[in-house]
Amino acid sequence: MRLVFLMLVLSSSNIYSENLTDIFNASIEKANLAFTQSSINPYTNSIDKSEGRIIRSNKGILVFVDTPFMEKYELYGDEIIVTDIELDQISRVSVNDFGDNTLLDIFTNGITNSSSDYELEQTSDSIIINSLNNETYNKIEIKFKESKIHYLKYNDNLDIENLIIFKDL
């Protein structure tokens, strides 16, 4: 009887966990999201905020930062085109310049339950991604609310805590 109960608990947990990855992947695949990013900088004792939109087109992913500076990031295959709208400047960066970057990977390819680059910890309302690569984004937390991505939290390469809250457009 205990074995049956244990198998039932494990299988239902796995089904729900897969649903969280499905919710994340579907949200990123559609990617019509508004975001507010708050960065807590312990070095300057300040909180910096930016707001914008993430839109997926048939060509790739577009990220518009609307405040405090107007910027556009276009991710097409192996290249990111960065446009400073206010200064009318464009630069191009190869995705390969970022090396193994779990954060970039999950936004472009989604989350997989069996990756050689990261391990997943899942609860009833969150996914924690632990990178297996020697990179700066070692732990990414994704919290869900009402079957939607609520926020994504991580520390960047300067150990600045970032919190990105998402809403549907």
Side-chain angles (χ1 to χ4, degrees), residues 4-142:
V4 171
F5 179 72
L6 178 63
M7 301 229 353
L8 180 62
V9 168
L10 290 175
S11 66
S12 65
S13 172
N14 190 30
I15 289 169
Y16 190 78
S17 298
E18 286 186 30
N19 286 340
L20 290 180
T21 57
D22 290 344
I23 291 168
F24 179 86
N25 292 340
S27 295
I28 295 305
E29 185 177 311
K30 294 175 189 168
N32 289 318
L33 302 168
F35 69 86
T36 300
Q37 178 177 359
S38 300
S39 301
I40 302 170
N41 189 331
Y43 308 110
T44 61
N45 201 23
S46 65
I47 299 174
D48 301 320
K49 276 193 170 186
S50 61
E51 294 181 347
R53 299 160 281 137
I54 301 172
I55 299 170
R56 186 178 289 266
S57 71
N58 57 356
K59 295 179 184 177
I61 299 173
L62 301 171
V63 178
F64 295 94
V65 179
D66 300 323
T67 62
F69 307 106
M70 294 185 68
E71 301 169 329
K72 178 172 70 171
Y73 300 84
E74 302 168 75
L75 178 56
Y76 299 127
D78 294 337
E79 182 178 55
I80 300 174
I81 302 168
V82 182
T83 304
D84 184 321
I85 297 169
E86 294 171 336
L87 298 176
D88 196 26
Q89 295 178 339
I90 298 174
S91 59
R92 297 174 186 274
V93 180
S94 172
V95 171
N96 296 329
D97 292 347
F98 292 96
D100 293 325
N101 186 310
T102 302
L103 187 62
L104 186 59
D105 181 47
I106 65 170
F107 268 100
T108 54
N109 302 314
I111 297 173
T112 178
N113 287 321
S114 58
S115 172
S116 60
D117 295 324
Y118 55 81
E119 292 177 340
L120 301 178
E121 293 177 35
Q122 300 184 8
T123 66
S124 62
D125 66 349
S126 66
I127 298 173
I128 297 174
I129 301 168
N130 295 301
S131 175
L132 299 175
N133 300 319
N134 189 16
E135 63 170 306
T136 55
Y137 304 102
N138 288 325
K139 181 179 176 183
I140 301 167
E141 178 186 357
I142 305 166

